[in-house]
Amino acid sequence: MKIKRQINSFLNQQKELFGNELFTYSLNKSTKKKTLLNRESYALEKYENSINLCQECSLGKTRNNFVFGSGDYNADLMLIGDVPGVNEDSQGVPFMGREGKLLDRILSAIGKNRRSDVYLANILKCYIPQNRNPLFSEISKCESYLFKQIEFINPKVILAFGRISGKVLLNMDLPLEKLRENVHDFKGIPLRVTYHPASLLRNPDFKKETWKDFKWANTFLKN
Ligand code: SF4
């Protein structure tokens, strides 16, 4: 009876803290991850709320939604694109539409999904009308938001999608094929540049190489 009372008291205490979600305290990896998740999610959401009305460049006036990022706040793998597209702008979430579906399929092939295994973000947080390339002035005003996000997520590995993402993160103005040749270092985090999912829709031939990069990231995380 004493044990039953202790269990009831523990569960009531948990309910007060976390509502109906049950957290256990065994020292396994997933529990530690959940505890961290709460702390990280609160800090990152707070940060998002502090910047989501940004008007630092003219894109703030034309966006429909600020596209901050989405996924697992405690992810080991972070995926970084360049600019939100029209679908992202309308939904406020990165990598939507056909390119998002393709990305979901690639992730599924390595046993991951966008909600619980990876974190997705872009260099810029606002859509660019007519899909032109971002200006240096826009990137320089926005990039610090991404750098802060990376600090919060603190992934074990980063995949950067496309030449612009690689150029901003690595400060290297090289063709994508050259950037893809090596594993780079972003503030101590291994980073590989690969093709953007949108470019895979235009050039299916790039899928094979992209697949190699995702497999590399997955193998890296398993070792
Ligand atoms: S693109 Fe970045 S810097 Fe420009 S308004 Fe949007 S959030 Fe601000």
Side-chain angles (χ1 to χ4, degrees):
M1 281 304 280
K2 194 178 167 196
I3 289 178
K4 202 174 165 187
R5 265 203 310 277
Q6 282 173 338
I7 291 173
N8 275 339
S9 149
F10 170 77
L11 288 174
N12 284 333
Q13 193 186 35
Q14 287 284 293
K15 195 167 180 180
E16 271 178 36
L17 288 171
F18 304 119
N20 287 330
E21 190 163 4
L22 180 63
F23 285 76
T24 61
Y25 287 106
S26 63
L27 291 174
N28 60 39
K29 198 177 167 211
S30 63
T31 300
K32 278 196 255 175
K33 187 170 174 173
K34 267 196 170 176
T35 310
L36 266 177
L37 182 75
N38 265 4
R39 201 168 59 224
E40 299 301 323
S41 74
Y42 177 70
L44 197 57
E45 276 167 23
K46 205 170 154 196
Y47 180 61
E48 178 183 357
N49 291 335
S50 74
I51 60 170
N52 63 10
L53 298 177
C54 176
Q55 294 290 335
E56 285 291 318
C57 78
S58 63
L59 300 176
K61 293 194 176 39
T62 49
R63 71 172 172 238
N64 287 305
N65 279 296
F66 179 86
V67 185
F68 182 63
S70 71
D72 178 3
Y73 296 130
N74 198 36
D76 288 339
L77 174 59
M78 189 161 174
L79 308 176
I80 301 175
D82 45 19
V83 182
V86 67
N87 291 308
E88 289 79 26
D89 180 53
S90 69
Q91 297 177 62
V93 179
F95 299 102
M96 301 305 286
R98 286 176 65 221
E99 68 181 65
K101 287 200 173 87
L102 176 57
L103 177 59
D104 290 344
R105 285 206 298 278
I106 297 171
L107 287 172
S108 166
I110 55 167
K112 298 193 183 300
N113 77 66
R114 66 159 67 210
R115 284 173 300 283
S116 56
D117 300 309
V118 300
Y119 188 85
L120 310 168
N122 283 302
I123 306 278
L124 289 198
K125 306 304 179 200
C126 302
Y127 171 64
I128 303 182
Q130 276 91 50
N131 280 329
R132 65 163 165 77
N133 281 339
L135 304 173
F136 175 76
S137 59
E138 291 161 347
I139 291 172
S140 64
K141 284 183 174 136
C142 208
E143 63 185 5
S144 63
Y145 297 153
L146 174 69
F147 296 157
K148 193 81 186 160
Q149 271 176 301
I150 297 173
E151 264 179 48
F152 275 115
I153 303 294
N154 192 22
K156 289 187 179 149
V157 65
I158 294 173
L159 281 180
F161 294 149
R163 190 185 65 83
I164 292 172
S165 308
K167 179 180 168 183
V168 173
L169 288 161
L170 300 170
N171 202 17
M172 280 183 196
D173 197 2
L174 293 173
L176 179 61
E177 287 67 27
K178 278 271 161 214
L179 290 170
R180 274 196 70 244
E181 281 175 4
N182 300 304
V183 177
H184 305 274
D185 178 282
F186 178 84
K187 300 182 182 176
I189 303 167
L191 182 152
R192 184 144 222 159
V193 184
T194 191
Y195 293 96
H196 194 289
S199 76
L200 302 183
L201 294 172
R202 294 188 296 270
N203 299 290
D205 289 351
F206 295 158
K207 283 184 186 170
K208 197 170 155 198
E209 293 304 303
T210 308
W211 177 233
K212 281 186 198 163
D213 297 335
F214 271 83
K215 278 206 296 190
W216 168 82
N218 203 33
T219 304
F220 179 91
L221 290 173
K222 281 181 178 164
N223 291 331

